[in-house]
Amino acid sequence: MILIVAEHSNGKLSKSTAEMVTAARESGREGPITILVLGAGIEAVANEASKLAEQVLVGDVASLAQYDATVWAAAVTQIAREGEAHTILIGGSRSGREYSPRVAVKLDAPLLEDVISLKSAGSALQAQRYTFLARVTETVEADAPVIVVTVKPGIFTPAQPEMNGEQYDVELELPQPRVAVTGKSVEKTSRVPLAEADVVVTGGRGVGSPENFATLVEGLADSIGGGVGATRAVVDAGWRPYSEQVGQTGKTVQPKAYIALGVSGAVQHLSGMGKSKFIVAINKDAEAPIFKVADYGIVGDVNEIVPALIEQARNK
Amino acid sequence: MKILTLIRQVPDAEARVRVQGSAVDLEGATLVMDGMDEYGVEQALRLKEAGAGTEVIALAVGPKRNEDALRTALAMGADRAIHVETNVALDAIALSKLVAQIASQEDASLILAGGQQADWDSQALGAATAERLGWPQLTWTNGLEVQGDKLVGRHDVDEGNESFEVSLPAVVTTQQGLNDPRYPTLPNIMKAKKKELRKDTLEQYGVQPLARVVGAEIQARARLGKVIDGKDAQAAAAQLLELLRSEAKVLA
């Protein structure tokens, strides 16, 4: 069986779960697709998941309300063993990429990490992934009775919710969490989630100040219905929350259009947005590296061009 | 408390990456200690200086050239280094088996590893090593202190960040913001030459790759690279909006 571990937040199934279903189908691996939903109070999520697969396993346990890598790894490993899963798909979120190596070690399985394609090659499983700060696409291969895969979000087309899968409750033997969480800061945004937005407007230090960021970057994003992104420098300066950061240590985005305002374009930033379909850069520094990857570059002052963009977009 | 800090040698961020045949060719590229690993070395040194550590050991697994990265760690202040010299490319899960063995032999209580290095773009080594040792792990850490037998710090998670407390031993992966790594001074570079750099072979650890790279290509998307004149803001804005409608097709 192919086991997919559902990703969800705030009582909703994440798009990445439907993306993993597509990856599982494209993998050419045999057997039914089963989705495992872990958490507390996850009835609605399990119902959503049952539209995507023949079978949904539900581990609804109060102690799973707080994510812990060791607990998650134990739960997934137990279900993979009981169901004799040969392929385990886990989302390439921060948490997914954190507990998946533990699952691989427990099952003595290879791990194909953060994959963007998946196919069978004889008895082996072959995947593509980005390396060298997303400058290279590597093809990796593993051949083993059990293989663990993490799937990069935002790459595979989400499967349509058209199934009517059966739900089964599972009993889990869980270890005690190892890490005590003593404080939490959850960053919320009322806009489209960055990873799901068709258009992302990102601001760098070149926008000048937190106030300018709000006026220009948020203003443009709102006028064209986009998500808001920020560079590492802007987040480090405390202008914007970490949840908006795009790049090696932030989120990876691949929107239809990426509009970079006052962004210089360090390699670490490019690795998070370089695969966007259409890149626009507005920067007064004509030498900024961002122009090398841009489809359209405007060398000019963001303080003049962006207000004009906002005004014209609103008047349309 | 002994601290093990893991080092990878990667191309400099500005270096050109080439592909030869089906593999990335680093011949002629400027290679440096990975930036994320530098935060690990720095943090290990700071913990030792604060009295929480007794010895800082740097470990690298890879070709001969990795000696340079280890010498950098020694020059920053690491006490000694271990180099497992091999040309075999190990995936993170296989490599964790080796790292766990060395951590046990050395009786290390804390392992620091880069969050995601600029060569293999992997985040798996820290967590896989922690699992092999039966230790907890904290990933994407940007604040870290030792208080008695506990680690206290802050790290990034899916939807924001968390403060944590965990008992030692543990594995911690680093990221930008954890600290500001020091530069090796000339006297320390000289001193580093006399520090122990032990050479091991891969065979000593009985580790085989579990996954292998069978192809590599540079897939730079061809960009249009067109320039819009920004002198007239209104005209530039109109032209860009039109392109977003007609070419990118993201606006109605």
Side-chain angles (χ1 to χ4, degrees), chain A:
Chain A
M1 116 180 154
I2 302 177
L3 183 66
I4 293 173
V5 187
E7 293 206 308
H8 56 92
S9 73
N10 301 319
K12 291 195 75 176
L13 199 66
S14 308
K15 201 167 113 189
S16 60
T17 309
E19 293 169 6
M20 283 191 272
V21 171
T22 303
R25 288 178 185 159
E26 288 179 4
S27 74
R29 303 284 272 182
E30 282 173 15
I33 294 174
T34 300
I35 298 180
L36 170 64
V37 190
L38 296 173
I42 46 172
E43 218 181 284
V45 178
N47 288 339
E48 274 190 82
S50 61
K51 294 183 182 132
L52 290 168
E54 288 130 311
Q55 183 171 281
V56 174
L57 305 179
V58 186
D60 196 336
V61 187
S63 65
L64 289 175
Q66 166 69 37
Y67 162 79
D68 179 278
T70 50
V71 177
W72 244 252
V76 173
T77 304
Q78 183 197 322
I79 298 301
R81 282 203 181 114
E82 286 173 2
E84 296 180 359
H86 52 68
T87 313
I88 300 154
L89 270 58
I90 294 171
S93 57
R94 222 159 252 265
S95 56
R97 290 183 74 184
E98 178 184 71
Y99 74 80
S100 54
R102 287 187 172 263
V103 175
V105 169
K106 280 178 189 291
L107 295 171
D108 197 19
L111 171 69
L112 301 177
E113 203 181 350
D114 217 25
V115 310
I116 56 167
S117 81
L118 207 54
K119 66 170 189 188
S120 290
S123 64
L125 190 57
Q126 214 173 64
Q128 284 182 302
R129 58 185 304 263
Y130 299 135
T131 54
F132 290 90
L133 292 174
R135 288 182 285 179
V136 176
T137 305
E138 270 182 358
T139 305
V140 283
E141 192 178 276
D143 194 351
V146 185
I147 299 174
V148 181
V149 180
T150 56
V151 179
K152 190 175 181 67
I155 304 287
F156 291 90
T157 310
Q160 288 300 311
E162 57 198 4
M163 310 283 285
N164 191 10
E166 294 279 337
Q167 289 185 28
Y168 303 91
D169 289 324
V170 291
E171 278 193 31
L172 298 166
E173 289 161 38
L174 300 175
Q176 286 298 313
R178 301 290 292 274
V179 177
V181 177
T182 53
K184 205 171 178 136
S185 127
V186 176
E187 289 152 345
K188 286 202 171 118
T189 169
S190 54
R191 294 191 180 84
V192 234
L194 201 44
E196 296 178 15
D198 277 347
V199 186
V200 170
V201 183
T202 287
R205 283 299 283 262
V207 301
S209 66
E211 295 73 31
N212 268 3
F213 196 108
T215 317
L216 302 175
V217 184
E218 292 190 275
L220 181 58
D222 289 343
S223 72
I224 58 178
V228 168
T231 61
R232 173 96 220 187
V234 159
V235 174
D236 279 350
W239 295 4
R240 304 299 298 182
Y242 169 73
S243 56
E244 291 178 356
Q245 189 180 309
V246 173
Q248 186 193 10
T249 60
K251 290 194 171 77
T252 300
V253 297
Q254 206 162 7
K256 288 182 185 157
Y258 188 87
I259 305 174
L261 307 178
V263 172
S264 65
V267 175
Q268 289 84 350
H269 183 72
L270 301 184
S271 78
M273 49 60 79
K275 310 290 176 192
S276 302
K277 289 203 179 75
F278 195 86
I279 297 173
V280 179
I282 305 176
N283 194 319
K284 66 178 176 206
D285 175 10
E287 301 300 315
I290 188 80
F291 286 119
K292 289 197 187 115
V293 300
D295 293 291
Y296 282 95
I298 305 181
V299 179
D301 188 345
V302 288
N303 292 302
E304 291 169 12
I305 293 159
V306 181
L309 275 168
I310 295 171
E311 188 201 325
Q312 291 185 24
R314 287 208 176 118
N315 291 338
K316 161 76 187 171

Side-chain angles (χ1 to χ4, degrees), chain B residues 46 58 83 141 143:
Chain B
R46 288 186 187 197
H83 181 199
T141 307

Side-chain angles (χ1 to χ4, degrees), chain A residues 138, chain B residues 8 61-63 86-92 94-95 120 202 207-213:
Chain A
E138 270 182 358
Chain B
R8 286 180 79 82
V61 180
T86 176
N87 289 319
V88 176
L90 292 171
D91 54 278
L95 185 53
W120 62 358
L202 192 57
V207 175
Q208 301 279 334
L210 290 164
R212 62 195 188 97
V213 177

Side-chain angles (χ1 to χ4, degrees), chain B residues 1 30 43 45 54 78 87 122 124 128-129 141 149 174 180 184 216 221 252:
Chain B
M1 177 178 82
T30 310
Q43 199 62 30
L45 297 173
T54 52
N87 289 319
S122 171
T129 304
T141 307
D149 61 351
T174 60
D180 219 347
R221 190 188 288 270

Side-chain angles (χ1 to χ4, degrees), chain B residues 94-248:
Chain B
L95 185 53
S96 70
K97 205 170 164 184
L98 186 159
V99 176
Q101 286 178 60
I102 289 184
S104 298
Q105 285 164 13
E106 295 289 347
D107 199 22
S109 305
L110 175 64
I111 300 176
L112 291 160
Q116 175 171 329
Q117 289 92 348
D119 55 348
W120 62 358
D121 288 16
S122 171
Q123 299 177 11
L125 180 60
T129 304
E131 178 63 34
R132 295 211 188 261
L133 292 163
W135 295 1
Q137 95 250 15
L138 281 314
T139 52
W140 297 105
T141 307
N142 44 25
L144 189 71
E145 278 177 52
V146 173
Q147 293 178 358
D149 61 351
K150 280 192 171 1
L151 275 181
V152 177
R154 198 179 62 246
H155 73 145
D156 289 333
V157 294
D158 283 340
E159 288 161 328
N161 60 70
E162 281 177 359
S163 306
F164 64 77
E165 212 178 86
V166 69
S167 295
L168 285 162
V171 178
V172 169
T173 80
T174 60
Q175 70 159 311
Q176 199 171 335
L178 178 60
N179 55 45
D180 219 347
R182 67 195 70 186
Y183 286 106
T185 58
L186 188 60
N188 285 339
I189 292 170
M190 300 311 285
K191 264 190 231 163
K193 290 184 178 166
K194 295 202 180 93
K195 288 184 181 172
E196 180 189 321
L197 197 164
R198 188 178 99 200
K199 289 277 186 177
D200 288 0
T201 65
L202 192 57
E203 290 67 39
Q204 284 172 258
Y205 298 94
V207 175
Q208 301 279 334
L210 290 164
R212 62 195 188 97
V213 177
V214 293
E217 50 188 314
I218 297 199
Q219 276 190 339
R221 190 188 288 270
R223 294 287 171 190
L224 302 173
K226 290 187 186 165
V227 179
I228 298 173
D229 191 345
K231 284 195 197 80
D232 181 344
Q234 291 295 338
Q239 202 182 339
L240 180 57
L241 286 172
E242 180 51 32
L243 289 164
L244 290 173
R245 287 186 191 104
S246 62
E247 285 199 26

